[in-house]
Amino acid sequence: MNAVSGVPWTVLRLHRPALALWGAFVATVAGLLVWAVEVQADKARAELAHCAHHDTCSTIATVDYGDLLRWAAVVVCCSFYAVAAWAGASLVARELESGTARLAWTQSVSPARWLAARLAVPALAVTLGGAVLVPLFRWAWSNNPDRLDDGWSGFNTFVALGPATVAYGLCALAVGALTGLLLGRALPALGVTFAVMLLLNQVLGACRADLWPKVTRTGATETALPHRAWQLENGVLVHGRRVANPDYGQCVGTAARIRRCAADHGITGHYSVYHPFSHFWPLHLVETGIVLAVTTAATAVTFRLLRRRTA
């Protein structure tokens, strides 16, 4: 039991530099987000209040705040790539390559418990890091004073606003352990893990809009969408058939000219396809669930493969 209970401490000692670097990363990004809200947001609000009384006024602070949040979203969302690189190179592959793992298995530590400890310790660090960064990013994002950020549907912002951040990090750990066990060499495992996580992120990002039923609005005239809606498609109805971005453009001018233009081109109405802001959590949780399913599958395959190789 002493040997088994000491495995997590062995993992902490062995990967202490990486865990310390992760802690420093979380602290740095958290500090940046707090500074953004407490300093930059107030500065931007003061600038907006000043500009409200002038016809022409530069709002540089609001632009800077929006840019800062966009970069923060990139950093928070893409942090799992660093986790993937570390997991693929060091978590399992390096210890298999050096023979350290087999030495541990001969010292009253079963392979399954050895692997469980190697996954549990960094998984706890990733979860705690996400528990700090995600609420802070949501706080900073909701305090955007100009209300003109890239929207909740932004590729990186979408992930950074919820638990998908943690899910991608845990998935990177599981995939890294699996590729490390399969390849047994640090550098190839690093490259494969990074590529797999990049592919998963890009595929889910491309399919994100289809993870929940969309809202389609039709009408005789073009109407504004709800606040913060994610517009996916819009166009005109030509004899009941949807035509997105018609070559002849929009009919503009007086009401009479618009009616004549619509009649000339057979336009019978307008349509818009979008996700309202209320769809954020359904979309986000479905994507999180998919990523966690991949994580569970990769973890199960890793343990099964380890049992086969050490039987």
Side-chain angles (χ1 to χ4, degrees), residues 14-281:
L14 184 62
H15 299 290
R16 184 170 51 190
L19 294 173
L21 185 62
W22 173 253
F25 165 79
V26 172
T28 301
V29 177
L32 177 66
L33 289 171
V34 171
W35 173 78
V37 174
E38 296 297 336
V39 179
Q40 286 294 99
D42 289 342
K43 182 179 177 182
R45 287 193 186 94
E47 191 175 77
L48 280 176
H50 172 73
C51 289
H53 305 289
H54 298 78
D55 293 333
T56 59
C57 184
S58 174
T59 56
I60 297 176
T62 59
V63 174
D64 289 344
Y65 188 75
D67 289 342
L68 183 62
L69 285 190
R70 278 187 282 273
W71 279 110
V74 171
V75 171
V76 173
C77 170
C78 297
S79 61
F80 73 88
Y81 288 125
V83 176
W86 171 79
S90 299
L91 190 62
V92 172
R94 188 173 67 180
E95 296 195 36
L96 289 174
E97 193 173 13
S98 64
T100 306
R102 295 191 178 278
L103 178 62
W105 300 341
T106 63
Q107 297 180 351
S108 303
V109 179
S110 68
R113 288 178 176 176
W114 170 85
L115 179 59
R118 264 142 189 78
L119 290 175
V121 172
L124 178 61
V126 168
T127 303
L128 291 176
V132 172
L133 293 181
V134 171
L136 282 176
F137 181 80
R138 289 188 62 85
W139 175 48
W141 182 81
S142 65
N143 275 277
N144 191 346
D146 58 356
R147 306 291 182 183
L148 295 175
D149 49 54
D150 65 348
W152 59 271
S153 61
F155 192 90
N156 299 301
T157 303
F158 182 88
V159 175
L161 281 171
T165 300
V166 176
Y168 274 107
L170 296 177
C171 188
L173 283 175
V175 172
L178 178 57
T179 56
L181 188 60
L182 285 171
L183 301 177
R185 296 179 62 190
L187 287 179
L190 183 156
V192 171
T193 304
F194 190 89
V196 169
M197 292 308 301
L198 176 63
L199 178 63
L200 177 65
N201 181 239
Q202 295 299 312
V203 168
L204 286 179
C207 300
R208 186 169 291 157
D210 299 318
L211 297 179
W212 196 256
K214 310 175 188 71
V215 174
T216 301
R217 173 186 287 181
T218 59
T221 59
E222 191 173 9
T223 57
L225 295 181
H227 179 56
R228 285 190 172 179
W230 176 13
Q231 182 169 288
L232 303 170
E233 184 183 340
N234 71 323
V236 296
L237 298 172
V238 179
H239 302 300
R241 182 172 57 87
R242 292 183 186 177
V243 178
N245 303 316
D247 293 337
Y248 46 81
Q250 299 293 328
C251 295
V252 295
T254 63
R257 292 186 64 181
I258 291 174
R259 285 195 296 271
R260 284 198 302 271
C261 173
D264 291 342
H265 293 98
I267 298 174
T268 56
H270 293 76
Y271 77 96
S272 294
V273 181
Y274 64 95
H275 281 296
F277 185 48
S278 60
H279 282 193
F280 167 75
W281 279 114

Side-chain angles (χ1 to χ4, degrees), residues 2 4 27 81 107 110 130 221 283 301 310:
N2 290 335
V4 175
Y81 288 125
Q107 297 180 351
S110 68
T221 59
L283 287 164
V301 172
T310 58

